[in-house]
Amino acid sequence: MRALVATEEATIELAEVPEPVPTPDQAVVEVHHAGANFGELRHTGYFPAGTVMGFDAAGIVVRAASDGSGPPAGARVAGLGLGAWAERAVFATDSLAVVPDSVELAAAASLPTVGITALRTLRDSGPLAGRRVLITGASGGVGRLAVQLAHRAGAHVIASARRGEGLRELGADAVVGELSEAEVEPVDVVLEHLGGPALVAAWGLVLPGGVLHSIGWAGGEPANFPPYSTISLGPSRTLRTFGDATRPGADMAEVLALVADGRLIPQIGWQGPWTEIAEAARSLLTRRLLGKIVLDIAEN
Ligand SMILES: NC(=O)c1ccc[n+]([C@@H]2O[C@H](COP(=O)([O-])OP(=O)(O)OC[C@H]3O[C@@H](n4cnc5c(N)ncnc54)[C@H](OP(=O)(O)O)[C@@H]3O)[C@@H](O)[C@H]2O)c1
């Protein structure tokens, strides 16, 4: 079968690879569409040459897990797991979710990683109703879902992005540019995607008792915290890492149910044949593309 694999030069190319072999708790999925994330596109060199790339996919189960768990053959599913950018991929059954009939497989493929990231960090922020939530890099894949989810939970949402178009329509109460150039009142919760100066500035806005989730470092710059900025009187402010993508199936199902109900709108900024991944990646990494990349897998 064919798949997009990492090369020695830290690029991605289409290659012939062996069929994936499932373990007893894995189903084989014929991939119709795959989603691409900032992380795997920016850090391709992290993966050994020959690795079948990608984490997000949607398609049809062609072989159910042999241990009897998970959806049966023929089910429409979304999956999260390394090796997704292939004609066929294997996913542990706790990393699969059935896609409701009303949700297109292309939309489902755009959701797994960014959906569970937005859902899990907001859920770990305590009650959101009436609280102020700041989202940096809000124009991106995680941000555009987090703005919607935080708004629906009743938060006052402040979206920070150089390209703010469409964010008010998604539920942002305020759209500001980069934090270094913006005036923002203190906040209870931050979803922080840029690292560097944005992380420092966002941390400075967190109220006593508040939390900052450090989700990404898209800017790639170092963070220089002023002396004493991590010390304060009163209830603690918390800086949390995020990286827990274990057993995502149930949360993916929750995200897909929100989409099916019309309470969450998938955000696809580019959809096209998987042979054009290099151009799509360039566009994402140079901040020209808004939202998610969805790759159409040719043979399926
Ligand atoms: N920890 C985890 O498990 C986890 C999970 C998902 C994502 N992440 C990370 O979270 C971050 C955001 O992910 P995403 O999928 O939302 O990415 P994305 O779709 O590329 O969005 C990132 C946004 O950040 C802004 N940005 C600021 N500086 C940038 C730079 N130097 N290069 C590129 N974009 C820059 C851009 O907005 P403007 O141009 O409009 O300002 C862009 O829309 C990434 O670092 C990703 O690796 C981590």
Side-chain angles (χ1 to χ4, degrees):
M1 68 167 191
R2 290 185 305 161
L4 289 167
V5 300
T7 69
E8 295 284 358
E9 297 76 35
T11 58
I12 299 168
E13 71 179 13
L14 202 54
E16 199 63 37
V17 300
E19 291 285 336
V21 179
T23 54
D25 66 338
Q26 289 179 326
V28 183
V29 174
E30 178 185 81
V31 179
H32 289 211
H33 304 278
N37 295 297
F38 180 95
E40 62 252 21
L41 296 173
R42 167 69 81 209
H43 304 293
T44 308
Y46 169 83
F47 300 90
T51 304
V52 176
M53 295 287 294
F55 290 91
D56 297 344
I60 308 290
V61 174
V62 287
R63 190 161 138 202
S66 62
D67 68 1
S69 65
R76 300 167 80 242
V77 292
L80 198 163
L82 184 61
W85 297 348
E87 288 173 334
R88 280 163 294 284
V90 292
F91 297 98
T93 51
D94 63 9
S95 302
L96 282 173
V98 171
V99 178
D101 289 343
S102 61
V103 179
E104 305 249 354
L105 286 178
S110 76
L111 293 168
T113 296
V114 292
I116 68 154
T117 301
L119 189 76
R120 288 182 171 186
T121 50
L122 288 170
R123 192 166 57 204
D124 287 347
S125 300
L128 294 174
R131 297 173 84 209
R132 291 170 58 79
V133 175
L134 168 65
I135 299 166
T136 64
S139 60
V142 182
R144 301 184 88 81
L145 296 187
V147 165
Q148 298 179 69
L149 294 175
H151 170 70
R152 291 232 164 243
H156 179 90
V157 181
I158 302 125
S160 167
R162 198 164 69 176
R163 297 161 301 152
E165 52 264 42
L167 294 174
R168 274 189 189 276
E169 290 76 359
L170 295 179
D173 296 283
V175 179
V176 301
E178 292 179 1
L179 278 187
S180 54
E181 294 155 16
E183 290 217 355
V184 178
E185 297 293 315
V187 299
D188 300 288
V189 177
V190 181
L191 269 52
E192 210 295 291
H193 295 107
L194 309 180
L199 170 60
V200 175
W203 175 248
L205 294 171
V206 178
L207 287 161
V211 59
L212 182 154
H213 300 273
S214 178
I215 296 171
W217 211 285
E221 292 178 47
N224 188 2
F225 286 89
Y228 307 109
S229 61
T230 56
I231 295 169
S232 53
L233 297 176
S236 293
R237 296 181 290 148
T238 306
L239 192 157
R240 297 175 63 127
T241 60
F242 176 76
D244 182 8
T246 51
R247 292 185 293 282
D251 286 340
M252 286 159 51
E254 187 172 333
V255 169
L256 287 161
L258 291 169
V259 172
D261 287 355
R263 285 179 288 159
L264 182 69
I265 304 168
Q267 300 289 311
I268 299 174
W270 185 94
Q271 183 176 352
W274 63 340
T275 46
E276 289 177 25
I277 187 169
E279 177 49 32
R282 251 192 309 279
S283 172
L284 184 89
L285 296 174
T286 56
R287 299 167 82 171
R288 286 179 284 131
L289 190 151
L290 288 168
K292 296 291 306 169
I293 293 171
V294 170
L295 306 168
D296 301 331
I297 308 303
E299 298 306 314
N300 295 331

